[in-house]
Amino acid sequence: MHHLLCRLQVLFLCDICPLSMMARLSMMLSMEPVTHDQLINEVLHHTQTDPHKRASGLSDFILGAQDGLVNVLGVVLGIAAATSDARIVLVAGLATTFAESISMGAVAYTTTLADADLYQSEREREYRHIKETPHLEIKEIRDIYESKGFSGELLDRIVETITANNDVWVAVMMAEEHQLAPVDRKSAIRAALVVGFAAIAGSLVPLFPFMIWSVSTSMWLSVLVTALVLFGIGAYKARVTVGKPMKSGLEMAVIGTVSALAGYLVGFILKVPPVP
């Protein structure tokens, strides 16, 4: 009785820290007897000490900020190499900033909606398939979990459990066969705003030196400041996801700076001759 209560507690706590249906099923089928304290300690470790990272706007922020930093740096370096007029550099940089930010936000919006449409269309197709070709779809479920190492009676029970409910069946096929996750259409607006504002913030960084110092000085300061910000973004990304902050920061700084220097080369080659 005690072991059964422990197992029921696990399923209840899984509702607080959600697991997939198959993970819960496997837990119930294969769980070794544990004490109440062991169970509580493991759940606390799973939910508080070392929790899974939820999806957030981090990737959208990095996309917008990095794009704004690199592209605007490339533009201002190219313009600065072609002319010594700081006003022209600022006008070109600000024009690029706002045009690109709006474009990036729009791309993030339409891409998110496209992902949502793809998920919905494949989901509807799976419902048709389990209605029109149920034996083939059952075999696909069996093949998926057989490849994961399940066999015999346990495999039969897994297949029966999944295929007993069409919604669960389709959800498993979407995740396991198509590697697709549901997309909230409301997140399209959030993604567009995060990418757009991050692009504006990133774009202003390489422009700032040109507001104060001469063009020749500002060029080097702009490269230095942008490289430092890119390094910080890369290091932060590694801290909240995976990887070494120093390595990730250096990679982003080097890649971004080298990409931006392409703009400088274009401006240097096509340098505007001074007006007599």
Side-chain angles (χ1 to χ4, degrees), residues 1 14 23 38 49 75 102 104 127 152-153 207 210:
M1 183 65 178
C14 283
Q38 287 176 323
T49 306
V75 169
I102 294 173
M104 288 292 294
Y127 273 109
E153 183 181 352
L207 280 176
F210 292 92

Side-chain angles (χ1 to χ4, degrees), residues 250-261:
L250 286 174
E251 285 178 349
M252 187 168 288
V254 171
I255 293 172
T257 304
V258 171
S259 300
L261 288 177

Side-chain angles (χ1 to χ4, degrees), residues 11 14 24 33 37 39 49 59 71 74 78 101 172 188 195 235 240 251 262:
L11 293 184
C14 283
R24 298 189 193 193
D37 289 341
L39 179 64
T49 306
S59 60
N71 287 351
S101 299
V172 171
V195 170
V240 298
E251 285 178 349

Side-chain angles (χ1 to χ4, degrees), residues 2-233:
H2 175 70
H3 298 324
L4 177 60
L5 289 175
C6 285
R7 296 188 182 194
L8 292 175
Q9 281 181 303
V10 168
L11 293 184
F12 172 76
L13 289 168
C14 283
D15 290 329
I16 301 174
C17 178
L19 296 173
S20 68
M21 185 278 298
M22 282 312 306
R24 298 189 193 193
L25 177 63
S26 298
M27 186 181 296
M28 284 292 292
L29 293 174
S30 61
M31 213 173 116
E32 294 294 332
V34 296
T35 66
H36 180 272
D37 289 341
Q38 287 176 323
L39 179 64
I40 295 300
N41 288 336
E42 289 187 11
V43 171
L44 289 176
H45 178 82
H46 189 275
T47 59
Q48 297 182 23
T49 306
D50 189 21
H52 291 288
K53 302 294 184 193
R54 298 289 178 186
S56 68
L58 177 62
S59 60
D60 293 330
F61 172 79
I62 291 175
L63 173 65
Q66 183 179 11
D67 194 82
L69 283 161
V70 174
N71 287 351
V72 173
L73 178 61
V75 169
V76 297
L77 288 181
I79 300 297
T83 178
S84 59
D85 192 331
R87 290 176 300 176
I88 296 178
V89 175
L90 288 173
V91 169
L94 289 172
T96 303
T97 294
F98 291 102
E100 180 189 36
S101 299
I102 294 173
S103 175
M104 288 292 294
V107 169
Y109 179 80
T110 55
T111 299
T112 303
L113 290 183
D115 290 340
D117 290 340
L118 173 63
Y119 182 87
Q120 184 62 29
S121 66
E122 290 302 316
R123 185 171 181 267
E124 292 174 359
R125 183 174 288 106
E126 280 299 335
Y127 273 109
R128 293 197 300 271
H129 285 181
I130 65 175
K131 179 181 179 180
E132 297 169 3
T133 58
H135 297 94
L136 179 61
E137 294 297 312
I138 291 174
K139 183 178 185 305
E140 288 181 351
I141 290 290
R142 177 173 293 276
D143 291 343
I144 287 171
Y145 286 94
E146 190 173 28
S147 69
K148 295 178 183 292
F150 296 97
S151 62
E153 183 181 352
L154 178 57
L155 177 61
D156 293 337
R157 291 169 63 187
I158 290 173
V159 174
E160 290 173 6
T161 301
I162 292 175
T163 57
N165 184 302
N166 285 356
D167 293 333
V168 174
W169 192 350
V170 169
V172 171
M173 293 301 290
M174 293 299 294
E176 297 291 347
E177 181 184 26
H178 302 293
Q179 303 295 310
L180 293 175
V183 179
D184 184 3
R185 289 180 176 273
K186 296 179 181 178
S187 67
I189 297 177
R190 178 195 60 78
L193 292 174
V194 172
V195 170
F197 282 112
I200 291 176
S203 298
L204 294 177
V205 171
L207 280 176
F208 177 73
F210 292 92
M211 300 177 185
I212 302 175
W213 292 283
S214 65
V215 171
S216 58
T217 302
S218 297
M219 290 174 62
W220 298 109
L221 287 175
S222 184
V223 172
L224 176 61
V225 172
T226 302
L228 289 174
V229 174
L230 286 169
F231 176 86
I233 293 174

